[in-house]
Amino acid sequence: MTHDTSDLNRSATSKRCFLLFFSLLLIAAPAWPADTFWEDRQRGYFWYEDPDLPIYEEQDVPIEDQPMIGNAGQDARPDRYSYNELFDLHPDRFQVVIDARLRHAVHRPTEENVLRFLEATDVAKKKSRLMANVAGYVAMQNPWLTGESRYPYSQPGRGVYVQQRNRDIQATLSEFKDRYAIIAFHQAGCGYCTAQEEILSHFEHLNSWTIRRIDITENPGLAARFHVDITPTLLLVSRSTQNSRILSSGVISLDQLTTRVYQLIRLMERRADPTEFYPMAFHETVK
């Protein structure tokens, strides 16, 4: 009997301890926010309110532009300028007018609206022709404003220009053939290198220049020195200073090669700067 009473006491004590522990746990637990999904199931977990956007007041339209704007419910003209009056408008104002007529014609493509837009474009074309006519006359009377004396447009003039160009190039290549050389980087199996080699041989024969061929697979150190990893690559090298410039990375024609050698010599000899890379030396004598 005593044993049974002891078991009952231990069971009651265990129940009291469990209730005390559970009470402490409820006291220590944090309170759930009031706006969670569980507290407001109608809005849902991802519900949010749209932010209040600022309200911008409509800006006043300048008085001079008010005739260009019509109400949405009216078929008002964008302006009341006549065809002749359009010629006297300031270019800035005319741009506003033609843009407004275009928008109006697109919005309501009636015969009248399209006609008024075409009138504005016709005025624009006529004024452009007038400007071109006067500009042509003024340029003719002031030849220093054009490049016609240096870069002639006519076929006879172009013939003379080519003759002067070739004489200038050949004189420069002949003068510096012993002071400069060309390094041509190539590699086996490069079809572009084969095509470039034919051009190099022709250049070498015509101008008596020294051209050194280098296979980048057999001379990787020399290729790395000149930062060459593309073939064919041509360099123009000064024999005295060892300074070099890239002539091409890829196949170029004989005429391109000849012209580029000429141009780089002028730069490396400080007879010209990069802003004068394309003009020829004989241009300096033309006033």
Side-chain angles (χ1 to χ4, degrees):
M1 189 70 179
T2 303
H3 178 72
D4 295 338
T5 303
S6 177
D7 290 340
L8 292 174
N9 290 338
R10 283 196 296 270
S11 177
T13 301
S14 299
K15 291 180 179 179
R16 286 194 295 271
C17 290
F18 177 76
L19 291 174
L20 179 61
F21 175 77
F22 186 73
S23 300
L24 292 175
L25 183 63
L26 291 176
I27 294 173
W32 292 98
D35 59 349
T36 62
F37 169 78
W38 307 105
E39 295 294 332
D40 192 350
R41 299 182 182 181
Q42 293 182 351
R43 292 189 298 180
Y45 187 76
F46 294 102
W47 183 91
Y48 69 95
E49 295 181 356
D50 292 332
D52 294 332
L53 299 177
I55 300 176
Y56 297 98
E57 297 182 358
E58 294 185 359
Q59 297 181 353
D60 294 335
V61 179
I63 296 177
E64 61 272 14
D65 287 340
Q66 287 181 1
M68 305 294 298
I69 302 173
N71 296 329
Q74 298 178 354
D75 192 14
R77 291 180 176 180
D79 64 81
R80 295 183 177 85
Y81 293 113
S82 67
Y83 185 89
N84 292 330
E85 289 173 339
L86 291 176
F87 274 92
D88 296 328
L89 288 181
H90 186 276
D92 294 341
R93 179 60 178 168
F94 180 79
Q95 186 64 54
V96 174
V97 172
I98 193 171
D99 289 344
R101 289 192 178 190
L102 172 61
R103 291 192 298 269
H104 199 68
V106 171
H107 180 57
R108 290 191 176 90
T110 64
E111 292 185 16
E112 181 182 5
N113 292 339
V114 173
L115 174 61
R116 291 177 61 79
F117 168 67
L118 294 179
E119 286 179 344
T121 58
D122 188 65
V123 170
K125 289 186 288 187
K126 288 182 178 179
K127 297 198 75 170
S128 296
R129 286 196 295 268
L130 292 175
M131 175 65 183
N133 290 337
V134 178
Y137 170 74
V138 172
M140 186 184 300
Q141 301 305 312
N142 299 271
W144 59 274
L145 293 173
T146 69
E148 191 173 12
S149 58
R150 294 190 174 193
Y151 306 97
Y153 309 136
S154 65
Q155 187 62 34
R158 291 297 301 173
V160 174
Y161 175 86
V162 171
Q163 292 176 3
Q164 290 179 314
R165 167 185 176 275
N166 291 339
R167 284 198 300 266
D168 197 7
I169 290 176
Q170 292 303 321
T172 301
L173 266 59
S174 177
E175 179 182 357
F176 292 95
K177 66 180 180 179
D178 296 326
R179 296 171 58 181
Y180 287 86
I182 295 176
I183 299 180
F185 291 91
H186 65 93
Q187 60 181 324
C190 173
Y192 296 112
C193 300
T194 303
Q196 188 67 79
E197 173 57 30
E198 296 179 2
I199 298 170
L200 288 173
S201 299
H202 197 32
F203 177 88
E204 192 175 24
H205 174 73
L206 290 176
N207 301 288
S208 301
W209 265 58
T210 300
I211 300 179
R212 182 182 178 187
R213 282 87 168 169
I214 297 177
D215 190 324
I216 64 172
T217 58
E218 297 177 358
N219 298 275
L222 193 58
R225 173 187 170 187
F226 289 100
H227 308 285
V228 173
D229 53 8
I230 299 174
T231 57
T233 294
L234 306 181
L235 300 181
L236 180 68
V237 181
S238 171
R239 292 174 180 264
S240 58
T241 65
Q242 300 301 308
N243 291 333
S244 64
R245 295 291 186 274
I246 297 177
L247 278 170
S248 71
S249 293
V251 182
I252 58 174
S253 66
L254 178 63
D255 186 67
Q256 288 176 313
L257 174 60
T258 304
T259 303
R260 290 185 185 186
V261 170
Y262 164 82
Q263 291 166 333
L264 286 181
I265 287 176
R266 295 191 69 215
L267 262 65
M268 296 175 72
E269 291 294 318
R270 297 184 179 180
R271 296 185 176 184
D273 58 40
T275 63
E276 303 168 324
F277 184 69
Y278 288 109
M280 300 290 171
F282 66 84
H283 291 151
E284 300 171 0
T285 62
V286 179
K287 303 298 183 182

